[in-house]
Amino acid sequence: MFRTALLTLRTLPHLKRRQITNRLRRKLVKPRVDTAPVGDPAKLVAEPVAFIAAPLAYHGGTEFTFLNQRHTLDLPAGWTSPERSKLWRYHLHYFDWLSQDPAPDAGAARAMITRWIDDNPPLSGDGWEPYPISRRLAAWVKWLTLRRARGDRGLEPAQWSSLGLQARVLAQSLEYHLMGNHLWANAKGLIAAGLALAGDEARGWLDTGRALLDQQLDEQVLDDGGHYERSPTYHALLLEDLADLINLSRAYGEPVPARWVETAQAMLAWLVAMTRPDGRLPLFNDAAHGAGPSPQALRAYAERLGLAVPEAPGDGLVALARSGYFRYAAPGWWLVADAGAIGPDHIPGHAHADMLSFELCVDGRPLIVDTGTSTYEAGARRAVERGTAAHNTVEVAGTDQSEMWGAFRVARRARLRERHWGNDRLRAAHDGYDRLGVRHARYFTFAPDALTLTDTLTDTRTGRASDAPAVARLHFAPGVRVVQDGATITADALRIEIRGADRITLADYHHAPDFNTLVPARVAEIAFTSRLETRISR
């Protein structure tokens, strides 16, 4: 309890005042439930282009698959069952499966919407939290817009009323205590509801949502096009959100702000630069391959919307400096390094203690990878995946660079203290171990046929080499055959020569490419003091 209190005290100074006051307000003031009639459906002026298909999640009846877990629900209890994780229940309430391919039967979809309304009275359970409301409003509006455009009636009168009631509750519950991707989702939900319904009240939701989104575009999208939470998965999700709003606005005849298009194209450019040769995104911070739309799906959607889709950058070093990622490519080589902030100070919930980590692909195949994310549930596995030892960087004295705690909290956090780059090099240092009297710096040197990592540990008091015990790790992708011969490791096509190690150990770890998915793989643990040089070649 004392440790939790201490971590809390170290966390609170980083929060914005509005986060604290909004949290207090939410405890004291509950949303009003207004069941007054809502407006009529808004007029459609065009059929939307095809949305990105959601993963197959609804199997008929009450059987669903979310987060790679398939369950048949006993409703109504299943909506809030403690046997399922909070995130699984959230997905159940999102209704994203309405856009799955193959599309669900329209009658079954309407029946499940009615079942949700009947089983979830206003303000009760997970489904009435602002984030699920936001996601569900958008999902219902996307589905009914397509149905109406194709001559179907869409929602029943009682379902339209529920949509309006949910929008009213959301408008009173904007998540300023969390901010980040939650506020972005709130804006999308209000805009979607405001587009789908006619009348002054709906216009108010639309105007509020658009103003909120404009604020969040300024804050959340960095000048290199990256999302400020530094998670490739959340970047992809929010890019899809913005594309959906462009699509829906055109369908209902609302003008699309030029900055929405410009921002979407900037986010596309970031996405393309960060896409690995195997077509997937790296797993930095809270990222999972199945948790968001693929880069290919986003590019195809952008093309359907008439957005400019950039080509991938050529060889050499590409600096996405504001979001802190550096991509290097040469024939047969592709690497991305994390040399930036862990996230925005006031909302680092999806951050990991992974500063100066990297992923490496050779001949189009990922060989050195991030551990990934398999769960959001607080506990040992969540702590492992957020910790420094789960990443391809240096851990000093068994300590995380940043104080990760709970499921989404960070107390003291590492900050960059030095960063320089050129065409074939990147050097950065952080102060995450300054509290131990140690400064860690990593120097990446790139060549067409090799990568050299030079790690140095400096005593912050004397400026001399530190003798603190440290471990550098290289996490290999599942299926990579790893063999050690003294100070040399071979990993399929790679030859890794290590200088300055006190001890080299090959161990097992679990790679987490997606939620609730753990795949055995190998990791090299390299103990050293002061200085380590690692040369990776083919």
Side-chain angles (χ1 to χ4, degrees), residues 440-524:
H440 172 222
R442 170 166 278 185
Y443 197 172
F444 295 82
T445 305
F446 307 107
D449 59 349
L451 160 70
T452 301
L453 304 176
T454 304
D455 291 294
T456 60
L457 302 177
T458 304
D459 189 308
T460 58
R461 294 171 291 259
T462 67
R464 300 190 182 95
S466 170
D467 60 0
V471 178
R473 290 178 174 85
L474 300 174
H475 294 81
F476 298 101
V480 174
R481 183 174 180 269
V482 184
V483 177
Q484 179 187 353
D485 181 9
T488 299
I489 295 172
T490 57
D492 284 0
L494 293 182
R495 177 180 174 86
I496 304 171
E497 300 167 282
I498 302 164
R499 297 178 182 176
D502 298 327
R503 184 181 65 259
I504 302 171
T505 305
L506 296 183
D508 296 324
Y509 84 103
H510 283 100
H511 180 58
D514 207 348
F515 281 95
N516 299 301
T517 304
L518 297 175
V519 185
R522 301 287 276 167
V523 55

Side-chain angles (χ1 to χ4, degrees), residues 39 133 171 259 272 313 380 461 471 501 532:
I133 293 176
R259 68 176 311 205
V272 169
R461 294 171 291 259
V471 178
L532 180 72

Side-chain angles (χ1 to χ4, degrees), residues 374-386:
S374 69
T375 182
Y376 280 175
E377 295 295 298
R381 185 66 206 175
R382 178 68 171 158
V384 165
E385 290 173 356
R386 297 181 80 205

Side-chain angles (χ1 to χ4, degrees), residues 224-266:
D224 60 9
H227 182 245
Y228 77 161
E229 292 189 61
R230 275 79 167 181
S231 161
T233 293
Y234 279 90
H235 179 97
L237 286 166
L238 271 60
L239 175 54
E240 181 185 15
D241 287 342
L242 191 53
D244 282 347
L245 292 177
I246 293 170
N247 197 5
L248 287 169
S249 294
R250 290 173 178 171
Y252 287 98
E254 284 290 331
V256 175
R259 68 176 311 205
W260 288 12
V261 173
E262 293 165 0
T263 302
Q265 291 178 165

Side-chain angles (χ1 to χ4, degrees), residues 129-148:
E129 294 179 23
Y131 189 72
I133 293 176
S134 302
R135 293 280 297 262
R136 186 171 54 253
L137 286 173
W140 285 15
V141 169
K142 287 165 63 175
W143 179 80
L144 73 89
T145 301
L146 279 176
R147 301 302 307 178
R148 291 181 64 208

